[in-house]
C-alpha cells in the first residue's frame, strides 16, 4: 500500500512540474497597446463594411485582444459584432461574435482569445458589425503621426488602405522565468518530501493470523 502511495505522490509532483513548464498553466501577462492620444474613428465597420488590421505577434501565446468601437447609439438590440483572426494564408484561427450592446463607445472590449500564434509571422484580424438598422459603428484608430504598437502594420477599411492603425491592446501570456520555475519546482518537491514522510509514518496493516 505504501509503495502505491509513494508512486502516486511522485506522479502528482512530476505532473505539477510539467504543468508549470513546458505546458505553462501559469503565465505572466504582457501587454502591448496604444497610448491615449491622437485617436480618430475610421470606417464604418457596419452596413456591410469591415476593418482589417495586419499585425505580427511578438510572443507565441495571445491571451486576449482588445479593440475599441465608436458609435452614437445602437438601437438594434440584435446587432452583433463579428471578430476573427486569420493567418498569412487567410485561414481563420479564431472567431467570435457577441452582442453590440456589450461594447461601450470609445472603450476597449477584450476578447478572450487564448491561442498560440507563430511569433514573427504576419496575421490579420477583422471586425464587422451586423445590424438590421442604420447604426454608424466605426473602429477607433490612431492619427498617422501617433505611435502604435510594434505589432500593427497595415490597416484596411472595406478593402482600402488607410494611413492609420487600430487602437488595440495585445495581451500575451509568457512562461515564467527560470527563477520562478525553480521556486515552483522547489515547492512541489517539498510537498513530495512531506508526503513521503507522512506515508512512512502510516501504520502497517497487520496480517491476519491463520488458525
Amino acid at each position: 500500500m505504501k509503495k502505491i502511495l509513494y508512486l502516486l505522490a511522485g506522479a502528482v509532483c512530476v505532473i505539477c512540474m510539467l504543468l508549470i513548464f513546458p505546458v505553462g498553466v501559469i503565465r505572466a501577462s504582457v501587454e502591448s497597446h496604444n497610448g491615449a492620444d491622437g485617436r480618430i474613428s475610421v470606417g464604418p465597420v457596419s452596413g456591410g463594411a469591415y476593418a482589417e488590421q495586419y499585425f505580427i505577434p511578438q510572443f507565441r501565446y495571445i491571451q486576449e485582444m482588445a479593440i475599441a468601437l465608436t458609435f452614437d447609439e445602437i438601437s438594434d438590440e440584435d446587432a452583433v459584432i463579428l471578430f476573427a483572426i486569420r493567418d498569412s494564408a487567410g485561414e481563420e484561427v479564431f472567431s467570435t461574435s457577441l452582442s453590440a450592446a456589450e461594447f461601450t463607445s470609445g472603450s476597449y472590449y477584450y476578447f478572450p482569445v487564448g491561442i498560440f500564434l507563430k511569433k514573427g509571422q504576419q496575421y490579420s484580424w477583422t471586425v464587422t458589425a451586423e445590424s438590421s438598422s442604420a447604426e454608424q459603428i466605426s473602429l477607433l484608430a490612431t492619427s498617422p503621426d501617433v505611435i502604435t504598437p510594434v505589432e500593427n502594420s497595415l490597416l484596411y477599411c472595406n478593402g482600402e488602405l488607410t494611413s492609420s492603425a487600430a487602437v488595440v491592446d495585445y495581451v500575451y501570456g509568457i512562461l515564467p522565468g527560470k527563477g520562478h520555475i525553480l521556486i515552483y519546482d522547489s515547492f512541489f518537491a517539498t510537498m513530495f518530501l512531506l508526503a513521503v514522510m507522512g506515508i512512512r509514518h502510516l501504520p502497517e496493516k497487520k496480517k491476519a493470523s491463520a488458525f
Side-chain angles (χ1 to χ4, degrees):
M1 180 63 180
K2 285 188 177 181
K3 290 182 178 179
I4 295 175
L5 292 176
Y6 287 144
L7 291 174
L8 181 61
V12 170
C13 178
V14 171
I15 290 172
C16 289
M17 289 180 174
L18 292 176
L19 288 175
I20 296 297
F21 181 85
V23 176
V25 294
I26 298 178
R27 292 177 180 268
S29 295
V30 176
E31 294 186 63
S32 179
H33 57 81
N34 307 71
D37 300 325
R39 297 187 172 191
I40 60 174
S41 61
V42 296
V45 297
S46 52
Y50 66 96
E52 182 174 23
Q53 173 72 64
Y54 286 83
F55 73 101
I56 298 175
Q58 301 300 297
F59 298 95
R60 290 189 62 241
Y61 184 73
I62 186 161
Q63 295 180 156
E64 297 177 299
M65 279 184 60
I67 63 171
L69 302 178
T70 60
F71 47 84
D72 292 329
E73 184 182 2
I74 297 179
S75 57
D76 181 10
E77 296 181 354
D78 297 323
V80 296
I81 304 299
L82 306 178
F83 180 82
I85 301 175
R86 294 178 174 81
D87 61 20
S88 57
E91 295 292 329
E92 193 173 274
V93 295
F94 174 80
S95 65
T96 187
S97 64
L98 66 154
S99 170
E102 297 288 333
F103 285 79
T104 300
S105 180
S107 299
Y108 276 136
Y109 182 88
Y110 286 85
F111 297 96
V113 180
I115 59 173
F116 287 92
L117 302 178
K118 294 181 179 180
K119 181 181 176 181
Q121 180 174 309
Q122 182 170 262
Y123 290 81
S124 68
W125 56 260
T126 58
V127 59
T128 186
E130 291 185 351
S131 174
S132 59
S133 55
E135 281 95 358
Q136 187 81 358
I137 303 174
S138 300
L139 176 69
L140 199 62
T142 60
S143 55
D145 58 338
V146 172
I147 296 175
T148 186
V150 65
E151 289 85 352
N152 283 352
S153 54
L154 303 176
L155 173 64
Y156 289 83
C157 286
N158 211 28
E160 295 186 4
L161 179 64
T162 74
S163 56
S164 300
V167 168
V168 60
D169 187 6
Y170 300 97
V171 184
Y172 301 101
I174 63 172
L175 292 173
K178 293 181 180 179
H180 287 90
I181 292 175
L182 180 60
I183 291 173
Y184 290 129
D185 286 352
S186 298
F187 171 78
F188 293 127
T190 301
M191 292 298 101
F192 171 70
L193 292 175
L194 291 174
V196 168
M197 292 174 62
I199 294 170
R200 288 180 62 185
H201 288 84
L202 288 176
E204 293 285 354
K205 186 178 180 181
K206 294 182 179 180
K207 297 182 180 179
S209 299
F211 291 97

